[in-house]
Amino acid sequence: MQEFLDPAKIKIMRDSRKKVLLKVGDEEKVVYRVMRNFPLTGPDRYISLADEDEKELGMIKQLKDLDPSSRKILEEELERAYFVPIIKRILAVKELYGGVTDIAVETDRGYREFELRSKDTIRFVGLSRIMITDVDGNRYEIPNMGALDARSKSLIEWMV
Amino acid sequence: MIDISKPPRAVRSRLDLILLPSEKAEVTAASDIDDSGNFGERWVFLTKMRLLVLDKEGAVSFEFPVQKIKSLEVREFTGNGMLTLEDNDGNLMDVVRFSRTRSKDFLNVARHAVSLLAANGGVENGNGRAAKAKVPGGEEGPVEQSRCPKCGRALPPWTNVCPACIEKRKVFLRLLGYVRPYWKAAAFSLSLTVAVTLLSLLPPMLLRDLINYLTEGKGTVVLLTTIPISLLVVYVASSAASGVRTYAMAWLGEKIIFDIRTQVYRYLQMLSLSFYDRRRTGELMSRVTNDSSNVRYFLVYGSQQLIVDVILMVSVGILLFMKNWSLAAISLLPVPVLILGTVVFAKKIHGTYHRIWRTWARMNSVLADTIPGILVVKAFVQEDREVDKFRSRNVELLQADLRSTKLQSWFFPGIGLLMYFGAVFVYWRGGHIVASGGSLSLGDLTLFVSFLWMFYGPVQRLSQLTDQLEVAATAAERIFEILDSKPEVRDTKDAISLGEVKGEITLGNVSFSYNPEKKVLDNMNLQIKPGEMIGLAGASGSGKTTLVKLISRFYDPDEGTISIDGVDLRQIKQRSLREKIGVVLQEPFLFHGSVAENIAYGRPDATREEIINAAKAANAHEFIVHLPEGYDSEVGERGARLSGGEKQRISIARAIVNRPSIIILDEATSSVDTATERMIQEALENLIKGKTTIAIAHRLSTLRNADRLVILEKGKIAEIGTHDELLQKDGVYAKLVRMQTEIAKVRAV
């Protein structure tokens, strides 16, 4: 059974070649991939570290238990590994025949246009949180549908 | 969309400055995320000398000499990816970040770098790890297409025909081609249609004459009798004609769609296996059923309505203007609003219908989960939660339904009101004209208003036409796509039929791949002697099944040749070849029909004795006679419930009846228990006696009778030899055997 890594006994470091290392006691292992086990419902908890063969090196229960420098490195790595812009405003929705939909939005990362293959790729998580997956597998999030402006709200309401 | 062939001017001019005269960009890629993680633009160029990244203004944000690159890697993450570089000293660098929309271009860069580094003295790098590019997702099998290869637009999930790229005119012309064999019937029903439509114009005219007589005394008393009689005649004639017409048009449509359905199915049977690899079964079935019924709907009803509406609109329009052009102009006033309103409404109502459909689907999924899973629900005491879940879905449905009803209860009265406006305008203006003794009589006015109604209806229907046409065009296009596919494996003109086959199989330098990224078989050479039994083993994905598919010629090798008794497979008629090969698969597939029919599937003319003998040889006779209906028992859902082992023995009997010269066993015993396996083994031994046999098996113990074992690894032959030889060699096979014995030990515990 995989044990959780003890936050007091580990250290996450970046070596001089910019590789991420997991140090447990005197042993150092290269961390190739950092994964969230619950990307939607618990982004800061249950973080898996894996080596270059995608084999799990261990799991961290809570990021906040780590020492600040370790935590900072993991947060940087997670930021790279999960690119999910937050939609602030929906500017235009254009549905074409067959359910293919063009959407233009303003996100926290800037303006973006994307295409949906069908409205089935819009998913509710809970009552008002919406996750959208576009044709290429890019993700977008609306944390709270109710908090959108009226126009954006009416545009998204037609789609879900 | 960023067009990678057209970098912005700033980038181009900067690039021209930087690159040496002898240097050129070998590959270009554009990213859509900048260094700070916001949406932006970065341009990546790979030349023979360096890897270069420019921002939108042309400033260099990254530059690295190719000589010092050890590896380039595309890493795929959630919602984005990254091109990373490791230099010869082992330093890691991020080159550029991009959304998944652009991943393909960067995989291309990394792939290109592989060959570039190799050509550029990549050997100097020491370790053989030149540039590597990880391709995410499934390794084998077809890749689902999500974008139209022509225009790059997203494709709806249920099709790979791009609705935006269809040339509708061409599709409809082609559809019209199917009418040709029935042109007489078509001409007949078309003329009836015209007649019925024109007849419908008569009653208002007769009524006008009647009113004119009553109000102004024009004409004679005879009119009082002749008009009702004429009306009667017109109504009877038009009802009769319209009945005949409806039948004739429907007959025509059904005939055509019958032809299309048959043709599509015949084509589906003819096409090579590779066509099926690229498409999902459900989607193909829907082409024969759904798409053809969409086309049918259009041919039978849509096109009729279309013709009627066009004739009606044009003829009534002309009559209106001929009668009184100023009144006609007034009555046209609501038309633009009518068209616009209908188009907008159609869009909106489409949205609400979709919403209803989605909420229905959500509610259905609750049902589909819980009713069959009721045991689980009860076992975990979750009844209340499931009731709540259903209730909330039900509320959603109620809201969606009400919403759509609200929209409809707004729209239809609204549109009606609009048309009343037109009529009121006409009464108002027309009333003045009539009263002032102008060119209009009261009868004329009544006629005008009746015509007006006949005019608005078609206008409204025609404004929804584009949607209908689009549905029909897409469906037709999907059907035509099948009809336009060419079987990839084809018989040559001078292909021969095989006579007696000894069963010598030769593979010469055979290479094959399903997609260009990964070779499944790599330059394979193998000679199989007549009557020899070959055991094929190796990890999954090593190419075993592909190899036997090639021997059955479901695919042609990309390179090299396969021959039987010295004759290249491509020179043999496919029918003749497959008749000589008997196949037994892991999952025996039996068709609806009796046991006897299934055994004789490959040779429907087999006698009862042959069938029984084959069943006996396959160890199947025993259980078949004990079935209540013996060999006449039905197989399948409604028929006898056969166990996996029983089905497998029937499928072996099926192979035996076919009298094959070459036998292929693809994991024939892997899905049954050990006792059944013995029965099947015996059956198989009867089948393969003296015939060339290729057997694939995971359970190595089943291959112990093989004359030679061929061990595959990554599309190449790793080892050949007998069981003992290979054990002695202590290579891949020996390792596999050891692993399986260990597992067997664990199982025994």
Side-chain angles (χ1 to χ4, degrees), chain B residues 428-490:
Chain B
W428 176 62
R429 262 303 289 166
H432 275 282
I433 300 176
V434 175
S436 61
S439 57
L440 216 61
S441 67
L442 183 60
D444 287 336
L445 187 60
T446 326
L447 174 74
F448 209 95
V449 174
S450 319
F451 275 177
L452 205 57
W453 292 121
M454 291 173 88
F455 182 71
Y456 286 158
V459 167
Q460 212 192 332
R461 279 194 293 271
L462 287 176
S463 37
Q464 288 184 54
L465 189 72
T466 42
D467 288 345
Q468 272 188 40
L469 289 184
E470 213 149 2
V471 173
T474 315
E477 179 65 26
R478 273 151 59 87
I479 288 172
F480 292 152
E481 195 211 343
I482 292 183
L483 299 183
D484 291 341
S485 311
K486 294 265 178 310
E488 280 166 38
V489 177
R490 261 174 293 179

Side-chain angles (χ1 to χ4, degrees), chain B residues 198-382:
Chain B
L198 294 182
L199 272 180
S200 69
L201 297 176
L202 280 180
M205 291 187 178
L206 288 168
L207 279 176
R208 172 200 53 189
D209 290 346
L210 188 66
I211 292 173
N212 277 352
Y213 170 73
L214 292 175
T215 52
E216 295 167 24
K218 282 181 196 161
T220 57
V221 192
V222 186
L223 270 178
L224 283 179
T225 325
T226 53
I227 287 180
I229 289 176
S230 330
L231 271 177
L232 218 58
V233 170
V234 169
Y235 283 134
V236 168
S238 102
S239 300
S242 123
V244 175
R245 176 204 66 138
T246 309
Y247 181 76
M249 288 290 258
W251 181 87
L252 189 63
E254 300 289 1
K255 274 281 185 191
I256 291 169
I257 209 65
F258 169 84
D259 290 349
I260 292 179
R261 255 192 317 245
T262 318
Q263 199 188 7
V264 169
Y265 188 68
R266 194 185 308 133
Y267 254 81
L268 278 178
Q269 293 287 343
M270 259 172 50
L271 288 171
S272 304
L273 220 52
S274 54
F275 178 85
Y276 288 86
D277 287 344
R278 286 193 299 268
R279 288 161 185 84
R280 282 165 290 174
T281 333
E283 201 224 319
L284 281 177
M285 283 161 69
S286 110
R287 294 201 194 191
V288 184
T289 55
N290 279 347
D291 288 335
S292 65
S293 85
N294 273 338
V295 173
R296 171 182 166 274
Y297 185 83
F298 177 76
L299 284 178
V300 176
Y301 305 104
S303 59
Q304 282 199 48
Q305 193 64 49
L306 175 70
I307 295 169
V308 171
D309 282 342
V310 169
I311 296 175
L312 209 57
M313 195 178 76
V314 171
S315 55
V316 169
I318 290 173
L319 283 174
L320 284 177
F321 272 91
M322 270 168 50
K323 196 79 233 162
N324 188 315
W325 67 269
S326 67
L327 261 191
I330 287 178
S331 59
L332 282 184
L333 279 179
V335 166
V337 191
L338 200 65
I339 295 175
L340 196 73
T342 311
V343 170
V344 170
F345 170 75
K347 275 237 161 71
K348 287 242 163 196
I349 199 76
H350 178 76
T352 58
Y353 282 154
H354 184 80
R355 208 186 160 94
I356 292 175
W357 178 80
R358 277 185 62 125
T359 41
W360 253 117
R362 274 198 281 245
M363 193 167 100
N364 266 331
S365 74
V366 174
L367 284 177
D369 276 355
T370 51
I371 303 291
I374 191 72
L375 187 66
V376 182
V377 176
K378 287 192 173 297
F380 287 89
V381 209
Q382 294 297 319

